Amino acid sequence: MVGLLLASAARYGFHRDELYFIESAKHLAWGYVDNPPLTPLLGRLSRGIFGDSVFGLRVVPAVEAGLVVVAVAALARELGARVAAQLLAAILTATASFVLAIGHLLTTPTLDVLVTVLVVWCLVRMVRTGDQRWWLLVGIAVGIGLENKFTIAVSVIALVAGAVVTRSWRPLVSVWTLAGAAVAVAAWAPNLWWQARHGWTLLSFSRAIARDQGADNRARLIPFQLLVLGPPVAPVLVAGIRGLWRRPAWRSLRFLPVGYAILLVLLAVSGGKGYYAAGLVLPFAASGAIATVEWMDRRRRALGHVLVAAAVVVNAAVGAIITLPVLPQRLVGGAIAGVNHDAAETIGWPTFADQVAAAVATLPAADRSTVVVLTANYGEAGAIDRYGPARGIGPAYSGHNSYTTFRVPPSTQGPVVAIGFDDLAHDVALGDCTTIATIHTPAGIDNDENGTRIWRCTGPTQPWSKLWPSLAHEG
């Protein structure tokens, strides 16, 4: 799987989030408006070791995805799986569409999923062995996860609630529990300190997601759970959940399916995204693999193997086509982009920069040295910062998320070329604005930038230092 991810890593281009993380890594801090610091830092590490390129950026996430496969197989072993079931658990994970997707891009869910599966593995091992010193490793994993994405905290809360509901919490409580919690808080402390100093952006950003996407997230929550492993192997997921609930040998692990159900409820109430639960879905591939191998043994052995192999092959093929850049770019629009919009967001950024540079070139020569390139979102700003210098434009300025803290336009007045804003014709803050161009992506792929307008404005009507706070927005 890692080989496939690396072989296809550079076939399209950077994703908008990756462009944002590249720029974030140039402004290292203990936190950002929309995420803790670890993913941008890992991206900087990957580029530093493997090259400042699309491929170089994506080596680390590919390795992280490989570790997810190993962790799920190790979890199957803890559950008592024979070698065949361990291998099946690994194959199911390696061909899962969501694992392929997060292994292909530098994105916060990759490490979040790995950390969550490791936490579950530690808890299962603790229950099996009775050795509560495993809480220290749980604390380390949770602390690392919190420096990457806050959703690990919600998963842990759901698992604790599951343990309470199933009355299986007593074997999990000791002085080592407190030690593990202390380790997690200590690891999280730098970002907590940053959050406290910056007005707890975690809360405002979460509210922005719920406001902008809450209804869609709720509608997609349950269907997305089937997409984590892939619909062709959904029976394995169901068998894994059922087995953890019904098998006497796994009675002490009932908190896992119950905790997962509680997490879904929490996400439905809060409007969180469906993939926040992916880290608790993959452990069911481990228990489901055990149930599936037993089912194959009860059936005619050859027939069972053929049915399972066919489901895995179909799932792998569909997952690779949807999540990896295996098709020509012109075919990404339509059905592929409808299922995996991230694929469309990796196409066209150099062309985008070309079109912005052409718009800047229409300005009088005297204005080009003082023009401010203002973008509506961090993807546009990241593309200008990445590709603009070679085209004679940039740096970019944006009020979106942490970009608003990276830089503020200089106090000198000058024209503004603004990209991505719906309507600036009546925006007196930037002076007189007219549309001078429209962005068109290669092959007409309908991503978030296709069809957006480029505006030319005479310049701000007040100093940028006073105007800038009004341009800041989260989402």
Side-chain angles (χ1 to χ4, degrees):
M1 183 199 71
V2 174
L4 174 63
L5 291 173
L6 294 178
S8 61
R11 191 151 184 265
Y12 293 168
F14 290 111
H15 185 273
R16 67 168 57 248
D17 289 358
E18 292 176 317
L19 293 168
Y20 178 45
F21 291 144
I22 289 173
E23 190 62 27
S24 297
K26 299 176 184 178
H27 304 268
L28 287 178
W30 282 115
Y32 302 94
V33 168
D34 42 356
N35 54 264
L38 198 48
T39 289
L41 186 61
L42 288 174
R44 181 169 177 170
L45 176 67
S46 190
R47 289 167 54 231
I49 297 175
F50 302 105
D52 185 16
S53 62
V54 177
F55 175 85
L57 183 72
R58 292 177 177 171
V59 173
V60 164
V63 173
E64 289 175 348
L67 292 175
V68 171
V69 175
V70 175
V72 173
L75 177 59
R77 181 177 181 176
E78 287 299 320
L79 293 172
R82 306 196 311 268
V83 172
Q86 294 176 43
L87 181 60
L88 179 58
I91 293 173
L92 289 168
T93 307
T95 56
S97 56
F98 185 74
V99 176
L100 290 173
I102 62 175
H104 176 57
L105 302 175
L106 178 74
T107 181
T108 54
T110 314
L111 186 59
D112 183 60
V113 167
L114 174 59
V115 165
T116 305
V117 175
L118 287 175
V119 167
V120 173
W121 176 77
C122 290
L123 292 175
V124 171
R125 188 167 181 83
M126 187 189 313
V127 170
R128 185 180 68 81
T129 64
D131 187 353
Q132 297 202 353
R133 290 175 296 180
W134 283 97
W135 274 116
L136 293 177
L137 189 55
V138 171
I140 293 172
V142 171
I144 292 173
L146 289 170
E147 288 291 348
N148 171 71
K149 194 175 179 67
F150 302 125
T151 49
I152 182 64
V154 184
S155 297
V156 169
I157 290 171
L159 290 175
V160 170
V164 172
V165 170
T166 58
R167 299 180 181 180
S168 55
W169 59 272
R170 291 187 182 277
L172 298 176
V173 175
S174 73
V175 67
W176 292 105
T177 311
L178 298 177
V183 169
V185 172
W188 192 20
N191 182 252
L192 279 177
W193 171 78
W194 186 94
Q195 286 285 332
R197 290 193 61 192
H198 292 81
W200 299 100
T201 61
L202 159 66
L203 301 178
S204 59
F205 181 71
S206 298
R207 287 193 296 267
I209 290 179
R211 179 193 67 234
D212 298 339
Q213 304 175 352
D216 287 342
N217 291 341
R218 293 183 182 95
R220 298 170 182 171
L221 178 61
I222 299 303
F224 186 86
Q225 306 311 301
L226 298 178
L227 294 177
V228 175
L229 286 180
V233 295
V236 177
L237 175 64
V238 174
I241 296 174
R242 184 173 180 270
L244 282 169
W245 177 253
R246 297 189 61 176
R247 290 193 179 203
W250 292 342
R251 182 177 296 274
S252 58
L253 301 177
R254 283 185 171 182
F255 69 89
L256 293 176
V258 174
Y260 171 61
I262 292 172
L263 178 59
L264 293 181
V265 172
L266 293 175
L267 294 178
V269 171
S270 65
K273 298 182 179 182
Y275 70 75
Y276 292 171
L280 290 188
V281 173
L282 291 177
F284 302 131
S287 55
I290 296 173
T292 301
V293 169
E294 292 174 352
W295 174 83
M296 289 191 295
D297 289 343
R298 290 195 301 269
R299 300 281 175 175
R300 292 182 178 180
R301 191 173 183 84
L303 177 61
H305 279 73
V306 168
L307 291 175
V308 173
V312 170
V313 169
V314 171
N315 191 58
V318 173
I321 291 172
I322 291 173
T323 61
L324 300 181
V326 297
L327 297 176
Q329 289 188 10
R330 66 181 184 276
L331 300 180
V332 172
I336 300 298
V339 177
N340 177 25
H341 189 66
D342 285 336
E345 292 301 315
T346 63
I347 295 173
W349 290 114
T351 304
F352 169 87
D354 287 337
Q355 295 174 66
V356 175
V360 171
T362 65
L363 298 176
D367 289 339
R368 294 174 202 166
S369 61
T370 59
V371 65
V372 169
V373 179
L374 180 69
T375 74
N377 65 62
Y378 60 62
E380 297 161 344
I384 297 300
D385 283 335
R386 177 72 186 184
Y387 300 109
R391 293 161 172 81
I393 58 173
Y397 300 89
S398 180
H400 189 201
N401 292 357
S402 275
Y403 241 101
T404 190
T405 67
F406 293 166
R407 62 180 74 95
V408 179
S411 57
T412 55
Q413 301 296 94
V416 176
V417 169
I419 308 104
F421 297 91
D422 292 334
D423 188 2
L424 291 178
H426 305 289
D427 191 332
V428 296
L430 296 178
D432 294 329
C433 298
T434 56
T435 301
I436 57 174
T438 301
I439 297 295
H440 296 288
T441 56
I445 293 171
D446 191 20
N447 59 20
D448 287 349
E449 304 311 317
N450 191 45
T452 58
R453 291 185 279 181
I454 302 178
W455 299 81
R456 180 174 60 205
C457 304
T458 55
T461 56
Q462 56 183 309
W464 281 109
S465 58
K466 293 184 178 180
L467 177 62
W468 200 240
S470 67
L471 294 175
H473 59 284
E474 299 175 7

